[in-house]
Structures are given as C-alpha cells and as structure tokens.
C-alpha cells in the first residue's frame, strides 16, 4: 500500500543528488520539497513539518547529524521520520545515524528502486505509528469514559442504598427492642443481606476497574500473618456455622512474626477464597493453611492455601476461572449466585503483592486454592515456631466495649450542620445524629450550607462538625467547602459522597475537608468520626 500525498523534504547541498532523489520519488505521488543545506533544511522542517526527511550527512553551515538531533528533540517518531543520505560505508556513520534516531539510510550512489523502497518503508512505518497512537488515544478515551460511567453508576446506586440499608438497620434495632414477630425480623434481615450483596458487587466492579487502570492503592506495612489469619477466620466463622461447616487454621512453622505487605488486601483475598469454599461446600471441613516459602535464589513468600471438600472442578471448568465475569460453568451462577469477579480480583491483587494464585481441583472431591504474597526482607525478623498470644489487647477491647455500651449519646451537646439535598438521606442521617445526642441543622444545598456557616461565624461560634454532601444543586459541596474556607471558617468538615473511585477522597481533602466518608454510611463510623473530629477541634481551640 502506497500512501500518496505524503510530504517528503530532501536536504542536500548537491543539486545533482537533489535531482536524483526527486526524480526517483516524484512518480510515487509524494509532495516533494528541497533544501540546499542544513540551516535551510531545519527551517523548512519547522515550517513544513514533512512526513519524511532525506537528510545528507555532510553539508556546510550545519551537518546532517546536528539537524537529526534537533528533529529528534523537537518531533516525535510518528511525526517525522528521518532517512540519512550518506557516502559513509564503513558502518560507523550508519551506526551513529541509528543511535541518533534515524529511521533508515540511503547510500550514495543508490538505485531508483532502492530509494523508492526505503522511502516507502519509512512512510508505511510512520503511518503505522500514527495509527497506533490514534488507537491508543481511542483506548484511553474509552477507558476514561468507562471510569466516568463507573463513577456515575457508583454514585447513583450508593445514594439510594444509603437510605435502604440505613433505614433497614434502624428498623431492625427497633424491631428487636419491641420484640416484633420473627417474620418481620426475617424480612428485614433479607433486605439487609441482599443490599449487602449489591454493595459487594459494586465494590468488586470498582476494584476491577481500578486494577485494570493501574490505580489501585496498595500499602507495604509491617503486619502479622498470624493476626491476619485469625481476623479472617473470625470474620467468616458465622457464614461457615450457618451451613454447618467446620473451619480450621493450620500454621506450618517456622513463620515470620511480621511481613511487609498490605494486610487489607491480603484479608480481601482470603475472605473471598474462603467465602467461595463455603459457598461450594455442603458438608465437611474448610482448612486454611499458612506457610513460609523460601527457595535459595527466590524472594521469600507467604502462602495461604484454602482446602475445601466441595463440588470441585474439572480441567475444562478451570480454564476460564480467573477471567472477569467467568465461572466454572453456566449452571454455577444459577445455583450458587455470584458474578465471577471475585477470583479475577484476587489473582490480580496477589500479582500486585508480588505473588500469584493457583488452583488444584477434582470434580466432586473439592478444591485447593493457594495464594502467595511477597514478604519483603526477613532480615532481623523473628521466625515463630509456635503461635503467639494475640489476646493481649482484650482488656482494652473490653474497656472500649464498656465505653460504647454505657455512653448512649456520644454526640450529646454537639451542633452539626448537615448539608444534604436528598430528602430520604436528610431524614436518615438526621435520625442517626439525633439518636446519638446531636443537635442538627439542615441545609438542602451548598449555598444554604455556606450561609449557615457564615451566620454561625457572625455569632462568634462554629458548628462542631459540618457534614457536606459533595453532589448538590445550586452550589455543590466542593465549591461550598472552598467558599467557607476562603472566608476563614476553621471548623471540621466531613465530606459525604457516593463516589468511591480513585482520587475522590483526595479531591475532597484538597478543597478543605478534614475527613471523608462514603455512602452507604456506616452509622458507627459516622458517629465515631464526628466525635473524634469535634473533640480534636475543641482541643486545638482551647
């Protein structure tokens, strides 16, 4: 395929050479330009921005290598391709041309067919590079559109889920207090569980999107493998007991007392894998084995292996196991539910943490999933030969529990401004705050919130906390927060948002918020955050 109308600039101080090159290329349909030396050539390169430059090496005023260097510093490879025209046949000049960024070279003298072929190849290459750039831009635009869609979807679903889950929790508490019939409690429990499943699905989709975009944050902090396993076992115990399954933890020593990794992501992997084991096992035991892998020339890893006695899989069923939205077979989702995202996310998380996930399975005889993560350096790290006692903080926990149960109104005396445009969420969050003892002032948009904050300042006081929804009419939460900070308001502001994509928290903090909480709102987390921020603010003022 020949690309007609491509612009070719011939830069050579020899009129004879310019004529030979032009004569060979004119029949190809290119638009031909010429320059008589390096200085003239560089000027015309900037003016014309040709597709191809045929550049003589030895010229007065400015040689070809100087011009080539300027081209490569100022233009990308897909914008201009340079072919050096040279009498140097010892190889050194040719090698230098390639090192400086030339696409090809034409020896002097050269046949017409050779000139045509080399220019044709260069034009093909430059058009392929441009096409690749265009496709890359399209892919980036599509990825941005996907991220925008996911962010919008997250917001649109999380906002009503705040009301659904929040009111369900309130009704459950009231129903137990007033000893309502079992059917009433079962119905509320069904709403809450299904709402929770929906939130898990949303979080899985967002996690996968972040991983694919390379924007998932992971930590590398000191953490205890033993503690992680014990926390995970405690979290999944209720689900296992509900199916009559036995859970076991098996530690193979020696084990490092600490590793450097992301404990949150490790827990996410293990909870997902054990959750799958519980889902696909009807009778028997599920065992979590933990061991240190150390090979002489490899970096040490911790391996977590989940062994179940469930339905198992055939070789064919395992083929698509770690692909998004794939499951062992079409009947799996009908019988057991799920989206097929969990294992994909687990595998990619394990990869990010320097490990992998592998599976061994036999149909009707159970499965064995092994997840490895890098430990980081184990120099000066204690190797355990038995389990450590991790119950040392129980007394503190007991004190905290006692404090929680005895303090019925943790926000008593607190004056909170709630800026929220949704009537359902206004009522829900107001109820939560008032139940905790707070006095609540409502604002239906960012402008009302701004005016309320200003009026409070004029009275010589501040709200103990402003809860600022970030998506509101008239003036959104971002603009409202900036405005109150610009006039010197120093009280704590917590952003409320249904957005949970990469950078949402940072964006809220950047405009002046002190902290951030996502919808659906966790009642306890919200009350604790308000209590802590208001207390720390009072300490700063005193």
């Amino acid at each position: 395929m020949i690309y007609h109308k491509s612009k070719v600039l011939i830069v050579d101080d020899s009129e004879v050479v310019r004529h030979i090159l032009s004569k060979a290329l004119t029949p190809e349909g290119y638009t031909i330009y010429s320059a008589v030396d390096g200085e003239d050539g560089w000027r015309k390169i900037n003016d014309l921005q040709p597709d191809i430059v045929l550049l003589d090496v030895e010229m007065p005023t400015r040689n070809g290598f100087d011009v080539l260097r300027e081209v490569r510093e100022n233009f990308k490879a897909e914008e201009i391709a340079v072919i050096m025209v040279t009498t140097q046949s010892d190889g050194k000049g040719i090698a230098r041309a390639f090192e400086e960024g030339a696409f090809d070279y034409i020896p002097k003298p050269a046949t017409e067919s050779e000139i045509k072929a080399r220019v044709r190849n260069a034009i093909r290459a430059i058009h392929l590079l441009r096409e690749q750039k265009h496709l890359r831009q399209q892919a980036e635009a599509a990825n941005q559109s996907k991220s925008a869609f996911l962010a919008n979807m997250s917001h649109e679903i999380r906002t009503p889920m705040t009301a659904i889950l929040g009111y369900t929790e309130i009704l459950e508490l009231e129903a137990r207090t007033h000893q309502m019939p079992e059917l009433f409690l079962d119905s509320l429990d069904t709403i809450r569980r299904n709402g929770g499943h929906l939130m898990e699905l949303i979080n899985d989709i967002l996690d996968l999107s972040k991983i694919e975009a390379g924007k998932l944050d992971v930590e590398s902090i000191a953490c205890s493998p033993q503690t992680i396993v014990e926390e995970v076992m405690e979290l999944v115990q209720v689900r296992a007991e509900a199916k009559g399954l036995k859970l076991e933890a098996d530690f193979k020593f020696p084990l490092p007392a600490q590793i450097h990794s992301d404990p949150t992501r490790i827990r996410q992997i293990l909870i997902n894998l054990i959750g799958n084991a519980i889902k696909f096992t009807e009778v028997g035991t599920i065992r979590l084995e933990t061991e240190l892998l150390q090979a002489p020339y490899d970096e040490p890893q911790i391996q977590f292996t989940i062994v179940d006695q469930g339905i198992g899989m055939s070789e064919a069923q395992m083929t698509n196991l770690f692909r998004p939205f794939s499951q062992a077979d079409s009947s799996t989702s009908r019988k057991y539910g799920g989206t097929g995202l969990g294992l994909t996310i687990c595998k990619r998380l394990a990869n990010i943490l320097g490990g992998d996930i592998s599976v061994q399975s036999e149909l009707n005889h159970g499965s064995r999933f092994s997840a490895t993560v890098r430990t980081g350096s184990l120099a000066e790290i204690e190797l355990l030969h038995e389990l450590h006692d991790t119950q040392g903080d129980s007394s503190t926990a007991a004190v905290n529990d006692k404090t929680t149960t005895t303090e019925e109104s943790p926000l008593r005396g607190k004056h909170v401004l709630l800026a929220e445009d949704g009537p359902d969420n206004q009522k829900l969050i107001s109820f939560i705050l008032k139940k905790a003892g707070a006095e609540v002032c409502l604002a239906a948009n960012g402008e009302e919130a701004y005016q309320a904050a200003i009026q409070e300042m004029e009275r010589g006081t501040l709200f103990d906390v402003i809860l600022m929804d970030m998506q509101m009419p008239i003036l959104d939460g971002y603009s409202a927060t900036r405005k109150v900070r610009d006039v010197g308001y120093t009280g704590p502001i917590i952003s409320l948002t249904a957005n949970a994509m990469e950078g949402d928290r940072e964006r809220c903090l950047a405009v002046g918020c002190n902290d951030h909480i996502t919808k659906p709102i966790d009642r306890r987390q919200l009350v604790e955050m308000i209590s802590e921020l208001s207390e720390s603010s009072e300490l700063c003022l005193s």
Side-chain angles (χ1 to χ4, degrees):
M1 180 178 181
I2 298 175
Y3 297 90
H4 295 291
K5 297 186 179 178
S6 293
K7 292 188 289 187
V8 178
L9 174 63
I10 300 168
V11 184
D12 200 299
D13 62 325
S14 168
E15 185 177 352
V16 174
V17 175
R18 293 200 302 273
H19 175 74
I20 292 170
L21 294 172
S22 180
K23 181 182 175 184
L25 297 175
T26 298
E28 298 289 284
Y30 308 133
T31 304
I32 308 294
Y33 302 91
S34 62
V36 298
D37 58 37
E39 199 66 53
D40 185 29
W42 175 237
R43 191 162 47 248
K44 288 183 176 176
I45 287 169
N46 281 286
D47 292 342
L48 300 169
Q49 295 191 16
D51 301 290
I52 305 293
V53 177
L54 301 181
L55 186 59
D56 186 24
V57 172
E58 296 176 359
M59 292 182 293
T61 67
R62 184 180 258 186
N63 68 43
F65 287 120
D66 289 341
V67 177
L68 172 60
R69 202 172 298 113
E70 292 276 6
V71 171
R72 288 287 67 94
E73 286 176 0
N74 292 275
F75 297 96
K76 296 178 180 177
E78 69 268 15
E79 294 173 336
I80 297 177
V82 177
I83 300 176
M84 303 302 289
V85 183
T86 177
T87 57
Q88 298 177 6
S89 58
D90 60 357
K92 291 182 180 178
I94 295 168
R96 182 183 173 189
F98 286 126
E99 288 170 1
E100 296 278 3
F103 175 80
D104 202 354
Y105 73 96
I106 295 174
K108 292 182 183 180
T111 63
E112 282 193 7
S113 60
E114 185 175 10
I115 295 167
K116 290 178 181 178
R118 290 181 182 271
V119 172
R120 206 177 286 146
N121 285 339
I123 287 176
R124 282 197 195 101
I126 203 168
H127 278 274
L128 283 172
L129 286 172
R130 288 172 182 174
E131 187 176 349
Q132 287 176 351
K133 181 181 179 181
H134 178 65
L135 291 172
R136 188 168 61 250
Q137 289 172 338
Q138 283 185 321
E140 289 171 355
N143 195 51
Q144 288 174 355
S145 297
K146 182 181 76 173
S147 296
F149 168 76
L150 288 171
N152 186 58
M153 181 191 73
S154 169
H155 178 266
E156 292 303 318
I157 296 176
R158 283 173 182 272
T159 298
M161 286 304 295
T162 298
I164 293 169
L165 294 177
Y167 278 114
T168 301
E169 184 181 7
I170 289 170
L171 285 172
E172 280 189 301
L173 291 171
E174 293 296 315
R176 287 191 173 89
T177 302
H178 295 90
Q179 297 181 335
M180 298 296 287
E182 197 65 32
L183 176 62
F184 194 85
L185 287 168
D186 285 346
S187 299
L188 290 172
D189 183 59
T190 301
I191 295 171
R192 181 179 51 77
R193 280 189 291 103
N194 282 279
H197 290 325
L198 180 57
M199 289 310 305
E200 287 176 11
L201 171 60
I202 295 166
N203 291 333
D204 280 350
I205 292 172
L206 293 176
D207 268 355
L208 185 61
S209 174
K210 291 175 187 176
I211 291 169
E212 288 180 341
K215 294 181 178 180
L216 187 77
D217 289 331
V218 294
E219 294 182 303
S220 180
I221 61 175
C223 53
S224 161
Q226 178 190 335
T227 301
I228 292 171
V229 168
E230 289 174 349
E231 289 172 349
V232 167
M233 296 297 276
E234 185 177 349
L235 287 168
V236 298
Q237 185 70 43
V238 174
R239 291 167 65 182
E241 288 176 351
K243 288 190 71 174
L245 301 174
K246 185 180 179 183
L247 276 182
E248 292 180 351
D250 180 21
F251 296 91
K252 298 184 178 179
F253 299 102
L255 276 178
Q258 286 187 334
I259 62 172
H260 275 82
S261 189
D262 188 326
T264 301
R265 297 303 177 185
I266 295 175
R267 278 193 293 268
Q268 185 177 351
I269 293 170
L270 296 182
I271 289 170
N272 199 297
L273 293 179
I274 296 174
N276 275 351
I278 293 170
K279 183 194 296 185
F280 298 117
T281 303
E282 298 300 329
V283 178
T285 300
I286 295 167
R287 188 171 69 257
L288 172 55
E289 302 172 352
T290 307
E291 65 179 310
L292 174 64
L293 303 182
Q294 278 186 303
Y297 302 104
D298 292 332
E299 193 169 356
Q301 294 181 323
I302 288 287
Q303 178 173 277
F304 303 95
T305 301
I306 292 87
V307 184
D308 67 55
Q309 297 172 307
I311 61 174
M313 291 171 286
S314 66
E315 288 289 337
Q317 289 174 332
M318 286 190 283
T319 305
N320 296 324
L321 200 57
F322 295 104
R323 294 182 184 177
F325 302 102
S326 296
Q327 292 189 326
D329 60 44
S330 58
S331 65
T332 302
S333 59
R334 287 198 297 272
K335 182 175 180 181
Y336 295 99
T339 61
L341 283 175
L343 286 177
T344 304
I345 293 169
C346 286
K347 187 173 181 67
R348 297 189 187 181
L349 284 175
N351 294 156
I352 292 170
L353 297 177
D356 202 356
I357 290 183
S358 60
V359 58
Q360 298 173 333
S361 188
E362 186 179 349
L363 194 61
N364 299 320
H365 287 83
S367 301
R368 183 183 183 93
F369 283 84
S370 294
T372 57
V373 298
R374 196 167 44 223
T375 67
S377 173
L378 295 181
E380 300 182 3
I381 297 293
E382 179 188 2
L383 289 180
L384 304 179
H385 294 274
E386 61 180 4
L387 295 181
H388 266 193
D389 180 13
T390 58
Q391 304 303 314
D393 297 329
S394 58
S395 58
T396 306
V399 171
N400 290 337
D401 287 343
K402 184 178 178 182
T403 303
T404 304
T405 54
T406 55
E407 191 178 349
E408 295 179 358
S409 303
L411 300 184
R412 179 169 293 163
K414 305 299 181 188
H415 191 197
V416 179
L417 172 62
L418 171 61
E420 164 67 61
D421 63 311
D424 291 335
N425 285 332
Q426 278 184 357
K427 288 188 287 185
L428 171 66
I429 299 170
S430 294
F431 180 86
I432 292 171
L433 297 177
K434 289 175 181 177
K435 188 85 171 174
E439 178 188 345
V440 181
C441 176
L442 280 176
N445 57 61
E447 182 60 35
E448 288 185 13
Y450 170 71
Q451 294 297 338
I454 295 300
Q455 289 172 12
E456 199 73 8
M457 281 181 66
E458 290 173 350
R459 286 194 287 265
T461 60
L462 299 175
F463 289 103
D464 289 289
V465 167
I466 296 177
L467 292 178
M468 186 76 77
D469 183 34
M470 305 316 276
Q471 281 77 33
M472 291 187 290
I474 303 177
L475 191 67
D476 65 26
Y478 300 102
S479 302
T481 302
R482 278 197 208 94
K483 283 187 72 173
V484 298
R485 291 307 190 202
D486 287 346
V487 296
Y489 188 91
T490 58
I493 300 176
I494 298 173
S495 60
L496 300 175
T497 175
N499 292 338
M501 294 295 286
E502 176 75 19
D504 288 323
R505 173 185 171 81
E506 289 71 19
R507 186 183 174 197
C508 294
L509 298 182
V511 297
C513 295
N514 298 84
D515 214 330
H516 172 80
I517 191 166
T518 57
K519 299 175 182 177
I521 289 166
D522 182 301
R523 177 174 57 88
R524 293 180 183 83
Q525 183 188 3
L526 177 64
V527 171
E528 286 174 7
M529 188 180 291
I530 292 172
S531 180
E532 289 173 7
L533 270 179
S534 59
E535 294 296 336
S536 61
S537 177
E538 287 175 6
L539 287 172
C540 291
L541 292 172
S542 61

Coordinates of all heavy atoms in Angstrom, one line a residue, residues 255-260 292-294 299-302 374-383:
L255 N 7.3 -19.5 60.9 CA 6.6 -18.4 60.2 C 7.2 -17.1 60.7 O 7.5 -17.0 61.9 CB 5.1 -18.5 60.6 CG 4.2 -19.4 59.8 CD1 2.8 -19.3 60.3 CD2 4.2 -19.0 58.3
P256 N 7.3 -16.1 59.8 CA 7.8 -14.8 60.3 C 6.8 -14.1 61.2 O 5.5 -14.2 60.9 CB 8.0 -14.0 59.0 CG 7.1 -14.7 58.0 CD 7.1 -16.2 58.4
A257 N 7.2 -13.5 62.2 CA 6.3 -12.8 63.1 C 5.7 -11.6 62.4 O 4.6 -11.2 62.6 CB 7.1 -12.3 64.3
Q258 N 6.4 -11.0 61.4 CA 5.9 -9.9 60.6 C 6.4 -10.0 59.2 O 7.4 -10.6 58.9 CB 6.4 -8.6 61.2 CG 5.8 -8.1 62.5 CD 6.2 -6.7 62.8 OE1 7.3 -6.3 62.4 NE2 5.4 -6.0 63.6
I259 N 5.6 -9.5 58.3 CA 6.0 -9.3 56.9 C 5.6 -7.9 56.5 O 4.9 -7.2 57.2 CB 5.2 -10.3 55.9 CG1 3.7 -10.1 56.0 CG2 5.6 -11.7 56.3 CD1 2.9 -10.9 54.9
H260 N 6.2 -7.5 55.3 CA 5.8 -6.1 54.8 C 4.9 -6.3 53.6 O 5.4 -6.8 52.5 CB 7.1 -5.3 54.5 CG 7.6 -4.6 55.6 ND1 8.5 -5.2 56.6 CD2 7.5 -3.3 56.1 CE1 8.8 -4.4 57.5 NE2 8.2 -3.2 57.2
L292 N 5.6 -20.5 55.1 CA 6.6 -19.6 54.5 C 7.3 -20.4 53.4 O 7.7 -21.6 53.6 CB 7.6 -19.2 55.6 CG 8.9 -18.5 55.1 CD1 8.5 -17.1 54.5 CD2 9.9 -18.3 56.3
L293 N 7.4 -19.8 52.2 CA 8.1 -20.4 51.1 C 9.4 -19.7 51.0 O 9.5 -18.5 50.8 CB 7.3 -20.3 49.8 CG 5.9 -20.9 49.8 CD1 5.3 -20.7 48.4 CD2 5.9 -22.4 50.2
Q294 N 10.5 -20.5 51.1 CA 11.8 -19.9 50.9 C 12.7 -20.8 50.0 O 13.0 -22.0 50.4 CB 12.5 -19.8 52.3 CG 12.1 -18.5 53.1 CD 13.0 -18.4 54.3 OE1 13.0 -19.2 55.2 NE2 13.7 -17.2 54.4
E299 N 12.9 -14.6 46.2 CA 12.4 -13.8 47.4 C 11.4 -14.6 48.2 O 10.5 -15.3 47.6 CB 11.8 -12.5 46.8 CG 11.6 -11.5 47.9 CD 11.2 -10.1 47.3 OE1 11.2 -10.0 46.1 OE2 10.9 -9.2 48.1
P300 N 11.5 -14.6 49.5 CA 10.5 -15.3 50.3 C 9.1 -14.9 50.1 O 8.8 -13.7 49.9 CB 11.0 -15.1 51.8 CG 11.8 -13.9 51.7 CD 12.4 -13.8 50.3
Q301 N 8.2 -15.8 50.2 CA 6.8 -15.6 50.1 C 6.0 -16.3 51.2 O 6.4 -17.3 51.7 CB 6.2 -16.0 48.8 CG 6.8 -15.3 47.6 CD 6.1 -15.8 46.3 OE1 5.9 -17.0 46.1 NE2 5.9 -14.9 45.3
I302 N 4.8 -15.7 51.6 CA 3.9 -16.4 52.4 C 2.8 -17.0 51.5 O 2.3 -16.4 50.6 CB 3.2 -15.5 53.4 CG1 4.2 -15.0 54.5 CG2 2.0 -16.1 54.1 CD1 4.5 -16.1 55.5
R374 N 4.4 -11.6 48.5 CA 5.8 -11.4 48.9 C 5.9 -10.9 50.3 O 5.1 -10.1 50.8 CB 6.4 -10.3 47.9 CG 7.9 -10.2 47.9 CD 8.4 -9.4 46.7 NE 7.6 -8.2 46.6 CZ 7.1 -7.7 45.4 NH1 7.4 -8.4 44.3 NH2 6.4 -6.6 45.3
T375 N 6.9 -11.3 51.0 CA 7.1 -11.0 52.5 C 7.8 -9.7 52.7 O 7.7 -9.1 53.7 CB 7.8 -12.1 53.2 OG1 9.1 -12.2 52.8 CG2 7.1 -13.4 53.1
G376 N 8.6 -9.3 51.7 CA 9.6 -8.3 51.9 C 10.8 -8.9 52.6 O 10.9 -10.1 52.9
S377 N 11.8 -8.1 53.0 CA 13.0 -8.6 53.6 C 12.7 -9.2 55.0 O 11.9 -8.6 55.8 CB 14.0 -7.5 53.8 OG 15.1 -7.9 54.6
L378 N 13.2 -10.4 55.2 CA 13.0 -11.0 56.5 C 14.3 -10.9 57.4 O 14.4 -11.5 58.5 CB 12.7 -12.5 56.4 CG 11.4 -12.8 55.7 CD1 11.1 -14.3 55.5 CD2 10.2 -12.1 56.4
A379 N 15.2 -10.0 57.0 CA 16.4 -9.8 57.9 C 15.9 -9.2 59.2 O 15.1 -8.3 59.3 CB 17.3 -8.8 57.2
E380 N 16.4 -9.8 60.3 CA 16.2 -9.4 61.6 C 14.7 -9.5 62.0 O 14.2 -9.0 63.0 CB 16.6 -7.9 61.9 CG 18.1 -7.6 61.6 CD 18.4 -6.2 61.9 OE1 17.6 -5.4 62.3 OE2 19.6 -5.9 61.6
I381 N 13.9 -10.3 61.2 CA 12.5 -10.6 61.6 C 12.5 -12.0 62.3 O 13.1 -12.9 61.9 CB 11.7 -10.7 60.3 CG1 11.6 -9.4 59.6 CG2 10.2 -11.2 60.7 CD1 10.9 -8.3 60.3
E382 N 11.8 -12.0 63.5 CA 11.7 -13.2 64.3 C 10.9 -14.3 63.6 O 9.9 -14.0 63.0 CB 11.1 -12.9 65.6 CG 10.9 -14.1 66.5 CD 10.0 -13.8 67.8 OE1 9.5 -12.6 67.9 OE2 9.9 -14.7 68.6
L383 N 11.5 -15.5 63.6 CA 10.7 -16.6 63.0 C 10.1 -17.4 64.1 O 10.7 -17.8 65.1 CB 11.7 -17.5 62.2 CG 12.2 -17.0 60.9 CD1 13.2 -18.0 60.2 CD2 11.1 -16.6 59.9

